[in-house]
C-alpha cells in the first residue's frame, strides 16, 4: 500500500466525480479555503459553480487540497480509492468515498449565500435542495435585504428601534418625500420626489448619513436643500418605526459597527460566504460582506468584469 499515492488517487477521483464541470469550474469548486474571486460572464455557469462548490463543501469539506491521510487506512480502502481514481465514483459508492476522504466538513448553517434578486435567490435555494437535499434548509441563501432583515428583527433594539419595524417600499418612500417637499414649500419642479429620493438613496448606499451629507453639501444650494429633506425624512421614518430598502442594509452595518458582540456572533456562525453578481455591490454591501468575512476569510465572490 503506497501511502504517498493516497492524495494523488483522491484528487484523480474527485476530478472524475465532478467531471461535468470544465477545468476552471472544478478549480473554483475545490478551492474552499481563503478568499476567491471568480470572474464569469453571462451564461458561463457561475450558479452551477456555486451550487457544486457548496455541495462539495458539505460532502467532502477541504478534501482536494488536504494532505491528511485517514487513520487506520486498510488495504481494502486503498484499493477502493485506486479503483475510484481509475474508473470514477459509482453512485452506490459515493458515501463510502466521502467517508474515506472528507476533511473539515462545515455545518450547513455555517454557509451564507447572497444574491441580488428574489428570483435568483429562489433559484439558488431550489437548486441547492436538489443538490444537497434536506441540508439546503439550513443554508441561508437569500438576497442582501432578506438576510439583513433577519439580523435586524433579532437585534435592532440595540440601535434604538423596535424589532416590529415596518418596511417602506419605493412608493411609500416617494410619498413621504413628496409630503416633506410640500411642507417645506419647495418647488417640486426643481425638487421632484424621484430625484430627491435617488439622491438620498445614493447617499445611503455610500454610507453617508445626514450629518455627513450636510458636511459635504458646502455651498451647493441643491445639496443643502436635499440635506434638509434627508434629515426630516429620517426623523419621520424613526417616528414611524420604519425603514426604507436602503436603511435595511445601512442599519445592519451600523448594528455591527456599534455592537461588536453581535458582529462576532455572525462572524462565528457564517464560516463560508458566497456572493453572486459581486460587480453590483455598493459601498454598504461591500462593508457588510467585509465585516462578516473578516474572521474566517472564506469569501467567494462571483462577478462579471464586463
Amino acid at each position: 500500500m503506497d501511502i504517498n499515492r493516497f492524495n494523488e488517487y483522491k484528487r484523480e477521483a474527485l476530478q472524475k466525480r465532478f467531471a461535468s464541470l470544465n477545468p476552471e469550474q472544478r478549480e473554483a469548486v475545490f478551492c474552499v479555503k481563503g478568499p476567491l474571486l471568480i470572474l464569469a460572464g453571462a451564461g458561463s455557469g457561475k450558479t452551477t459553480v456555486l451550487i457544486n462548490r457548496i455541495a462539495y463543501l458539505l460532502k467532502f469539506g477541504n478534501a482536494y487540497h488536504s494532505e491528511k491521510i485517514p487513520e487506520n487506512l486498510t488495504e481494502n480502502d486503498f484499493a477502493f480509492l485506486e479503483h475510484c481514481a481509475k474508473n470514477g465514483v459509482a453512485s452506490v459508492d459515493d458515501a463510502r468515498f466521502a467517508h474515506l476522504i472528507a476533511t473539515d466538513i462545515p455545518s450547513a448553517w455555517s454557509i451564507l449565500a447572497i444574491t441580488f434578486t428574489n428570483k435568483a435567490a429562489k433559484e439558488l435555494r431550489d437548486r441547492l435542495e436538489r443538490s444537497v437535499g434536506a441540508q439546503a434548509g439550513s443554508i441561508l441563501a437569500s438576497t442582501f435585504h432578506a438576510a439583513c432583515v433577519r439580523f435586524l428583527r433579532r437585534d435592532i433594539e440595540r440601535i434604538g428601534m423596535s424589532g416590529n419595524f415596518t418596511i417602506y417600499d419605493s412608493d411609500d418612500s416617494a410619498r413621504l418625500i413628496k409630503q416633506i417637499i410640500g411642507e417645506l414649500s419647495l418647488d417640486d419642479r426643481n425638487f421632484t420626489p424621484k430625484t430627491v429620493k435617488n439622491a438620498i438613496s445614493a447617499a445611503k448606499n455610500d454610507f453617508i448619513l445626514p450629518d455627513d451629507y450636510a458636511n459635504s453639501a458646502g455651498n451647493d444650494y441643491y445639496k443643502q436643500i436635499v440635506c434638509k429633506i434627508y434629515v426630516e425624512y429620517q426623523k419621520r421614518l424613526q417616528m414611524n418605526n420604519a425603514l426604507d430598502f436602503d436603511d435595511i442594509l445601512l442599519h445592519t452595518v451600523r448594528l455591527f459597527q456599534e455592537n461588536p458582540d453581535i458582529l462576532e456572533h455572525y462572524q462565528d456562525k457564517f464560516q463560508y460566504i458566497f456572493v453572486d453578481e459581486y460587480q453590483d455591490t455598493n459601498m454598504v454591501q461591500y462593508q457588510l460582506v467585509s465585516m462578516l468575512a473578516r474572521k474566517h476569510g472564506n469569501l467567494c465572490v462571483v462577478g462579471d468584469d464586463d
Side-chain angles (χ1 to χ4, degrees), residues 180 199-218 223-238 244 246-247 250-251 254:
I180 295 169
I200 293 173
S201 178
K204 290 183 178 183
N205 288 337
D206 286 335
F207 207 76
I208 300 173
L209 301 176
D211 287 345
D212 301 319
Y213 198 90
N215 293 333
S216 69
K223 281 190 172 183
Q224 290 174 351
I225 299 301
V226 170
C227 184
K228 287 183 180 179
I229 300 169
Y230 186 7
V231 169
E232 187 59 30
Y233 175 66
Q234 290 304 112
K235 284 182 183 177
R236 302 284 179 93
L237 289 174
Q238 183 87 18
D244 65 17
D246 300 310
D247 283 332
L250 187 146
H251 285 319
R254 274 191 58 215

Side-chain angles (χ1 to χ4, degrees), residues 6-60:
F6 176 87
N7 285 319
E8 182 181 336
Y9 286 149
K10 172 184 67 176
R11 289 169 187 140
E12 288 176 9
L14 280 169
Q15 290 283 348
K16 287 184 170 64
R17 173 66 168 69
F18 290 87
S20 63
L21 305 178
N22 65 40
E24 291 79 12
Q25 291 173 327
R26 287 196 297 272
E27 184 180 3
V29 165
F30 297 148
C31 181
V32 296
K33 292 293 186 180
L36 177 67
L37 168 64
I38 302 172
L39 295 179
S44 59
K46 57 186 177 180
T47 304
T48 296
V49 170
L50 291 184
I51 298 297
N52 277 273
R53 196 170 186 270
I54 292 172
Y56 166 76
L57 257 175
L58 293 177
K59 197 172 190 71
F60 302 105

Side-chain angles (χ1 to χ4, degrees), residues 1 3 6 69-78 81 100:
M1 183 169 57
I3 298 297
F6 176 87
I69 306 294
E71 296 180 3
N72 305 316
L73 183 68
T74 67
E75 293 280 357
N76 186 263
D77 289 333
F78 192 81
L81 188 60
L100 183 61

Side-chain angles (χ1 to χ4, degrees), residues 117-304:
T117 67
N118 290 324
K119 180 181 178 182
K122 183 180 185 306
E123 179 191 356
L124 187 60
R125 287 192 295 269
D126 290 345
R127 292 182 64 175
L128 281 170
E129 187 172 355
R130 292 195 294 271
S131 180
V132 303
Q135 286 182 296
S138 299
I139 299 168
L140 180 51
S142 73
T143 63
F144 271 105
H145 288 86
C148 288
V149 167
R150 282 196 183 199
F151 305 153
L152 292 174
R153 292 288 184 203
R154 180 179 182 267
D155 287 307
I156 199 171
E157 289 87 355
R158 297 280 290 273
I159 54 172
M161 294 186 69
S162 169
N164 64 348
F165 57 82
T166 301
I167 299 173
Y168 277 19
D169 63 19
S170 295
D171 291 339
D172 296 326
S173 296
R175 277 193 293 270
L176 178 55
I177 289 172
K178 183 177 181 179
Q179 179 183 341
I180 295 169
I181 289 171
E183 291 174 3
L184 292 175
S185 301
L186 297 169
D187 187 341
D188 61 11
R189 292 172 297 181
N190 295 325
F191 297 94
T192 68
K194 181 178 179 180
T195 56
V196 172
K197 178 179 175 297
N198 288 343
I200 293 173
S201 178
K204 290 183 178 183
N205 288 337
D206 286 335
F207 207 76
I208 300 173
L209 301 176
D211 287 345
D212 301 319
Y213 198 90
N215 293 333
S216 69
N219 295 322
D220 187 319
Y221 174 74
Y222 185 84
K223 281 190 172 183
Q224 290 174 351
I225 299 301
V226 170
C227 184
K228 287 183 180 179
I229 300 169
Y230 186 7
V231 169
E232 187 59 30
Y233 175 66
Q234 290 304 112
K235 284 182 183 177
R236 302 284 179 93
L237 289 174
Q238 183 87 18
M239 286 169 52
N240 295 331
N241 194 41
L243 306 179
D244 65 17
F245 285 149
D246 300 310
D247 283 332
I248 292 170
L249 304 180
L250 187 146
H251 285 319
T252 302
V253 173
R254 274 191 58 215
L255 177 70
F256 290 165
Q257 287 179 336
E258 296 173 18
N259 299 275
D261 60 315
I262 296 175
L263 173 60
E264 185 176 17
H265 166 77
Y266 288 110
Q267 286 176 332
D268 289 338
K269 177 179 173 64
F270 297 121
Q271 297 176 29
Y272 292 89
I273 300 175
F274 297 73
V275 184
D276 198 4
E277 305 293 354
Y278 189 66
Q279 76 281 350
D280 292 334
T281 52
N282 58 39
M283 180 57 69
V284 174
Q285 290 162 336
Y286 169 78
Q287 283 187 281
L288 181 67
V289 170
S290 298
M291 294 169 82
L292 287 172
R294 191 173 298 146
K295 186 166 189 176
H296 295 284
N298 299 321
L299 172 63
C300 172
V301 300
V302 181
D304 184 348

